[in-house]
Amino acid sequence: MILAYIPVFVCLTLLVSAKWSFSYFGLSCFEQIIFHLKVPLEGTNTEFITDWVKKCGIKALGLTIIVYFIQSWFFPHPFVFIHILCAASLIWAAHTVGMFEWIINQFRKTDLYETYFVDTNTVKMTFPEKKQNLIYIFVESLETTYTSKENGGDYPEDLIPRLSRLGKEHLNFSHQEQLGGAHVLAGTGWTTGGIVAQTSGVGLTVPLTSHRFKEGVPFLEKNKTLQDILHEEGYQQEFCIGSQAAFGGRKFYFDTHGPVKIFDYNTVKNQLPANYPVFWGFEDEKLFAYAKEEITKMASKDQPFHFSMLTVDTHHPKGYKDRHYQNQYPERLSNIIHESDRKIGEFIQWIQAQPFYKDTTIVICGDHTSMAEEYISHTYDPSYDRTTFNTIIHAKNKPKQNKNRKFTSFDFFPTVLSAMGVKIEGDRLGFGTNLFSDQKTIPEKIGYKRFDKELRKQSKYYWEHIL
């Protein structure tokens, strides 16, 4: 009889885990789950396993015991009861994570790509005679939400004062009159999806039957990316990260498009103290120190360079408390965000003091909005319109309009090139629109809701021309 309750425990575990996954991971869409089933997960921060056992495993076990006694007291036919309970649990779990909508979308077709997607391979681009270096800083979960309400955010005071100042002094593309940013759509709401969207103009709404994203298999090989374009123009390129780059397929992406040198946890693990790894690998304090060394090496060569990096300390759900952590705000993650702002601000000051700065464009962008759902829901107004923060320093172009725009992560692809002084025929690449131009973005033409809805559907074009 007890063995019959193993399926009950499994189904209740799935039910509890489905609800927990949204509060813990802030899942943006079921496509995110499908993608991560297809890519390496090596280097994952194992802290979530402990939290899962506490909040899901133990809870599911307790519910199973309660169900056992309820059945024993009130239901004379246990197997009928068990089957009904298991079926109901599985259906509700699938509904919670959006699985049914995803299944329906596997049979829906879209002409979005044929109508709006611009194949970068067919676009003429003209670089300036003196090519700009590019430093691209992807900041984990960086939102405009974290700035003060006075600046357009939703915190009582400014958690990111240095970034806010940079956005005001230089260039910030905004969805509103004050500081603002890009909206996150399907296929772009996690780190790999956000980086791919910003550097290639396409998302990761990957079909279940696709066999891509495994080691040795090209990653979106038919789609021309920022790395491909800069390689053709003779750029040195490097991607620096404090975790294992293989996680989430990031290494495969940069291996396919470039070449791009990878500097990650594995690069320096033998040089780190014995108590490492910490958090996802090594913390941002070390990341910025390594970044300065790597950029200095690249700048010493007689070639333009493209250096990109991804921070990690503000990663959901709790962030990483390093030796500089201070209890200045009530929420742990608010303090970590504030400390991250300080590190980024000091890093930018260092860059601005270097001789290569005069020939360098700096881009700072959130990779996606935060997945720390409990922190967001408990700290900020649920009606606040959340966007990823951005600022571009030393742009070689001036925008026609940078406020009150409707735009997404895709639009940074052509916009970053334009910021480097590159002229783009038609001002469009992939799903992205050059925000310096007077061209309308796709959301400005059809709206966010329709764009997001169409992205979730199936496309023959995506299969044949992008994957």
Side-chain angles (χ1 to χ4, degrees):
M1 183 62 184
I2 297 297
L3 292 177
Y5 275 83
I6 293 177
V8 174
F9 172 70
V10 171
C11 292
L12 288 175
T13 299
L14 290 172
L15 176 61
V16 173
S17 298
K19 183 178 180 181
W20 172 79
S21 66
F22 275 88
S23 63
Y24 194 89
F25 292 109
L27 295 176
S28 61
C29 59
F30 191 73
E31 286 84 357
Q32 182 178 343
I33 297 175
I34 296 299
F35 177 78
H36 279 96
L37 290 174
K38 292 177 167 294
V39 295
L41 296 178
E42 58 191 90
T44 307
N45 175 21
T46 56
E47 182 181 8
F48 85 90
I49 298 175
T50 303
D51 290 340
W52 177 85
V53 170
K54 293 177 180 177
K55 296 185 179 181
C56 296
I58 294 174
K59 186 175 182 178
L61 180 60
L63 288 173
T64 302
I65 293 171
I66 292 172
V67 166
Y68 172 76
F69 285 111
I70 290 175
Q71 180 274 313
S72 300
W73 293 337
F74 300 106
F75 297 94
H77 303 291
F79 290 100
V80 173
F81 175 79
I82 287 172
H83 278 84
I84 293 174
L85 179 65
C86 286
S89 298
L90 291 175
I91 291 170
W92 188 254
H95 169 72
T96 300
V97 297
M99 183 176 178
F100 294 130
E101 181 186 2
W102 176 81
I103 291 173
I104 292 170
N105 281 330
Q106 300 310 293
F107 300 96
R108 289 173 172 167
K109 306 297 181 185
T110 181
D111 62 355
L112 184 71
Y113 291 83
E114 289 81 357
T115 306
Y116 294 105
F117 191 83
V118 175
D119 184 352
T120 305
N121 293 287
T122 66
V123 178
K124 180 182 178 182
M125 284 171 268
T126 306
F127 276 71
E129 185 176 347
K130 175 64 175 177
K131 295 173 182 174
Q132 283 284 103
N133 303 312
L134 173 63
I135 297 177
Y136 205 135
I137 306 171
F138 297 100
V139 183
E140 176 62 49
S141 306
L142 179 62
E143 299 191 21
T144 315
T145 318
Y146 306 147
T147 191
S148 64
K149 295 181 180 181
E150 181 183 359
N151 286 335
D154 195 47
Y155 202 77
E157 56 186 282
D158 201 346
L159 292 178
I160 50 171
R162 296 161 185 83
L163 285 166
S164 297
R165 185 174 65 251
L166 288 171
K168 292 176 180 178
E169 292 177 351
H170 298 278
L171 178 59
N172 165 252
F173 286 101
S174 178
H175 65 294
Q176 56 189 2
E177 192 61 38
Q178 299 164 298
L179 290 174
H183 286 82
V184 174
L185 302 185
T188 70
W190 63 97
T191 295
T192 308
I195 290 175
V196 169
Q198 291 186 39
T199 57
S200 74
V202 69
L204 292 175
T205 48
V206 182
L208 181 62
T209 52
S210 172
H211 298 292
R212 300 287 178 177
F213 317 114
K214 295 182 179 179
E215 188 168 7
V217 178
F219 194 120
L220 303 179
E221 63 176 324
K222 299 171 187 175
N223 197 47
K224 194 172 186 178
T225 71
L226 175 67
Q227 300 83 247
D228 296 320
I229 295 167
L230 296 183
H231 170 63
E232 291 176 359
E233 294 293 328
Y235 277 71
Q236 315 166 63
Q237 301 191 81
E238 182 170 338
F239 177 60
C240 188
I241 185 173
S243 56
Q244 292 189 42
F247 176 81
R250 297 169 299 195
K251 183 178 184 299
F252 301 163
Y253 176 62
F254 288 109
D255 283 347
T256 302
H257 303 280
V260 177
K261 176 185 174 183
I262 301 292
F263 187 107
D264 67 352
Y265 168 74
N266 289 332
T267 307
V268 294
K269 65 180 180 181
N270 293 331
Q271 305 168 27
L272 294 169
N275 62 327
Y276 279 72
V278 298
F279 202 40
W280 282 80
F282 59 79
E283 69 275 29
D284 287 347
E285 182 177 18
K286 284 184 167 54
L287 178 72
F288 285 115
Y290 288 130
K292 291 176 183 178
E293 294 176 2
E294 295 300 299
I295 291 173
T296 301
K297 292 176 187 175
M298 297 176 82
S300 68
K301 297 179 182 178
D302 190 24
Q303 282 176 273
F305 67 83
H306 165 214
F307 180 87
S308 61
M309 61 186 293
L310 170 68
T311 69
V312 72
D313 282 2
T314 51
H315 200 286
H316 70 92
K318 303 172 184 176
Y320 179 72
K321 293 168 64 173
D322 70 2
R323 64 192 182 96
H324 300 288
Y325 180 88
Q326 295 181 5
N327 275 314
Q328 185 173 346
Y329 303 100
E331 309 85 13
R332 165 177 166 148
L333 200 48
S334 293
N335 291 304
I336 293 171
I337 290 166
H338 186 67
E339 174 58 28
S340 179
D341 172 78
R342 182 189 67 80
K343 288 184 174 67
I344 296 168
E346 290 181 354
F347 183 60
I348 298 301
Q349 286 182 331
W350 175 83
I351 294 172
Q352 291 174 326
Q354 306 308 307
F356 58 78
Y357 171 65
K358 68 182 188 305
D359 300 316
T360 302
T361 297
I362 306 170
V363 179
I364 306 173
C365 276
D367 56 349
H368 51 74
T369 48
S370 177
M371 295 180 181
E373 188 61 32
E374 290 183 351
Y375 166 71
I376 294 294
S377 62
H378 294 164
T379 310
Y380 303 98
D381 185 343
S383 65
Y384 178 78
D385 189 12
R386 295 166 58 198
T387 59
T388 56
F389 179 89
N390 72 87
T391 187
I392 300 178
I393 302 169
H394 228 206
K396 304 299 287 184
N397 205 346
K398 291 185 178 181
K400 305 284 186 184
Q401 177 186 348
N402 65 305
K403 300 296 184 183
N404 298 306
R405 300 295 305 270
K406 292 182 179 179
F407 62 104
T408 68
S409 305
F410 302 126
D411 297 304
F412 287 110
F413 179 27
T415 299
V416 168
L417 284 165
S418 183
M420 297 168 67
V422 180
K423 294 181 179 178
I424 304 167
E425 184 181 38
D427 286 309
R428 296 215 48 243
L429 298 173
F431 281 132
T433 300
N434 176 13
L435 296 174
F436 285 96
S437 73
D438 55 5
Q439 290 272 1
K440 287 186 176 181
T441 67
I442 297 177
E444 286 171 340
K445 293 177 180 178
I446 66 174
Y448 291 116
K449 187 174 182 180
R450 182 184 166 195
F451 191 17
D452 184 76
K453 183 178 179 180
E454 295 299 317
L455 283 169
R456 297 171 189 267
K457 297 178 183 178
Q458 297 303 297
S459 168
K460 184 179 179 182
Y461 187 101
Y462 190 88
W463 273 93
E464 295 181 351
H465 299 282
I466 296 174
L467 283 179

